[in-house]
Amino acid sequence: MKTACIIVCGFLLVATATAGNGGSAYTMFGIGDLNFSPSVRSAGMGYTGIALPSANAINTLVPATWSRIARVRIDASALYEGINTADASAKLYQAKGLFNGVHLAIPLSPAHGIVFGAGIIPYSRVAYNTSFSGTQAGVDYRMNEIGSGGLTKAQVGLSYAPFEELAVGATVNYLFGKRATERTLIPLSSNVWGGTLFIDEGQSGTNVTLSALFTGLGRVSETLRPFSLGFMLTTRANLSSSLTHRLETLAEVDTIRLGERNLTIPIGFGIGAGYQLGERWLFAADYYTQAWNDARVHGVPFTNIRNSNRFGIGAEKLPLKDATSWSDKLAYRLGFVYEATYYRLNGEPINMWGATGGITMPVSGETRLNIGLEYAQRGVQQQPLVRDRFIRVSFALTIAEPWFIRYEEE
């Protein structure tokens, strides 16, 4: 009996799936798919916005951009995501609705650009269902693995504008979450028992985001006046991680708590440029990189991981000032994004590209409904890799409230 259990444990602990037929297998590597969506407005513009100040949008990645918010704003967003995953022999389409964050911005001193922000947004997502067959110790078997969970980011921060053309901002970010893995071994011979290994890993830790936004290039040259520059830096996060294994077979259930271990999320850095053409057109370009080669799990580098690099460009047609017709109050967006993702499998770099669009429409007063659209593709359709095609539709309702405004008495 013990020999059979040991064989099952060995299969379940060393097995590694390389292709998926129940969803994208890429999220089983690293910490899963990283969520890079500063706002629905940003998503419609190729995920740009590092250098774009706004009185109406809350950019969760760049707190310096909050400095022009003059009214309390509450932003709640959701995401519909459809994924068509294909390997060399099969295809599967999956769709799901996801919570995409809620954020609050409170202007404490609009004259000085002091705005308090707080919110909670997804940081990474794990969602896959893979299966494969193999042979070990002379035993043929089939393995099925299901993964779920991910990390969430809760943040609080401030923006401040020491000068009219310069704003800075910072947030403290608390990362937390749980990753659950379920591996089921189905032997294809009758002399070995099957079993299921449940792996639960809880993680938590903090880091800090620093950012700055400069709109004063007109001091250098009048031709540079429409330009703005921005940057952001997120420090390394050291997450504590508790790991538990539970093995269930026909004979027994055995739980092992492996104690604490450390997970390092590497530093990330982004720069951006914005350009305003007249009163109705904005253009933006952003670059963001994260040094995943420096990531560690209990001091050991991640496998199948590399540094990530993301480049996006976008354009926005702003609403007409003092518009009377409803159509003139709309904002339209287009964008393109290319990313060398942090996945590298079997020596093959996994890259992604996407086309985006979006619209903002008035609801009531200063309340706005933002909609973002995206079509994206990553990976290659050749064994043992998969190709993912994404359709994403994001929604955000931004509510504006006139808190802390003193009205004159008659």
Side-chain angles (χ1 to χ4, degrees), residues 175-193:
L175 304 178
F176 65 96
K178 180 179 179 180
R179 177 171 180 155
T181 305
E182 178 182 330
R183 293 177 183 167
T184 301
L185 173 70
I186 305 173
L188 302 182
S189 58
S190 59
N191 59 340
V192 177
W193 291 337

Side-chain angles (χ1 to χ4, degrees), residues 35-346:
N35 179 56
F36 190 93
S37 183
S39 67
V40 174
R41 179 199 187 201
S42 170
M45 299 179 66
Y47 295 94
T48 60
I50 293 177
L52 296 182
S54 175
N56 302 315
I58 305 174
N59 187 318
T60 62
L61 190 66
V62 190
T65 62
W66 306 346
S67 62
R68 295 191 183 180
I69 295 176
R71 293 200 174 196
V72 172
R73 294 196 173 271
I74 303 171
D75 189 297
S77 62
L79 173 69
Y80 167 87
E81 183 177 72
I83 307 176
N84 187 320
T85 296
D87 62 16
S89 59
K91 296 181 180 180
L92 179 69
Y93 182 82
Q94 293 188 104
K96 53 192 172 183
L98 300 167
F99 166 74
N100 210 35
V102 60
H103 213 87
L104 169 70
I106 302 176
L108 304 179
S109 177
H112 299 93
I114 301 176
V115 178
F116 168 81
I120 184 168
I121 55 178
Y123 185 82
S124 69
R125 294 190 180 101
V126 176
Y128 65 89
N129 186 341
T130 69
S131 64
F132 66 98
S133 299
T135 300
Q136 187 171 330
V139 177
D140 296 329
Y141 65 90
R142 183 166 62 88
M143 180 75 69
N144 186 74
E145 178 169 331
I146 300 173
S148 61
L151 291 175
T152 298
K153 178 172 72 173
Q155 62 178 188
V156 294
L158 284 173
S159 68
Y160 172 56
F163 308 104
E164 181 181 357
E165 297 161 334
L166 175 66
V168 295
T171 61
V172 176
N173 313 306
Y174 176 64
L175 304 178
F176 65 96
K178 180 179 179 180
R179 177 171 180 155
T181 305
E182 178 182 330
R183 293 177 183 167
T184 301
L185 173 70
I186 305 173
L188 302 182
S189 58
S190 59
N191 59 340
V192 177
W193 291 337
T196 300
L197 178 67
F198 298 90
I199 305 173
D200 293 323
E201 185 170 14
Q203 300 164 335
S204 63
T206 60
N207 63 4
V208 174
T209 297
L210 306 173
S211 63
L213 175 66
F214 183 64
T215 59
L217 291 174
R219 295 176 178 270
V220 179
S221 171
E222 187 63 28
T223 58
L224 298 177
R225 185 171 298 278
F227 286 92
S228 58
L229 299 175
F231 98 96
M232 57 78 56
L233 173 71
T234 299
T235 64
R236 176 180 299 177
N238 293 313
L239 278 62
S240 61
S241 176
S242 59
L243 188 64
T244 300
H245 285 182
R246 187 177 83 256
L247 176 65
E248 294 185 1
T249 69
L250 293 175
E252 61 181 300
V253 176
D254 189 19
T255 300
I256 303 174
R257 290 179 175 84
L258 302 181
E260 297 289 327
R261 64 176 186 169
N262 296 321
L263 169 66
T264 302
I265 304 295
I267 189 172
F269 174 77
I271 56 174
Y275 179 82
Q276 181 156 357
L277 179 63
E279 294 186 353
R280 298 205 64 185
W281 283 99
L282 276 176
F283 300 91
D286 283 7
Y287 171 75
Y288 180 81
T289 183
Q290 196 165 8
W292 283 96
N293 281 342
D294 295 334
R296 297 290 185 271
V297 180
H298 212 51
V300 179
F302 278 94
T303 59
N304 300 302
I305 294 298
R306 59 170 179 163
N307 293 340
S308 64
N309 295 278
R310 172 184 285 260
F311 175 75
I313 55 175
E316 179 180 39
K317 185 179 182 181
L318 300 170
L320 185 65
K321 289 185 177 180
D322 302 321
T324 56
S325 67
W326 187 79
S327 60
D328 287 336
K329 297 179 181 180
L330 303 179
Y332 304 91
R333 304 180 186 97
L334 289 173
F336 177 83
V337 59
Y338 177 84
E339 180 180 8
T341 75
Y342 77 149
Y343 299 123
R344 182 195 295 271
L345 306 181
N346 294 333

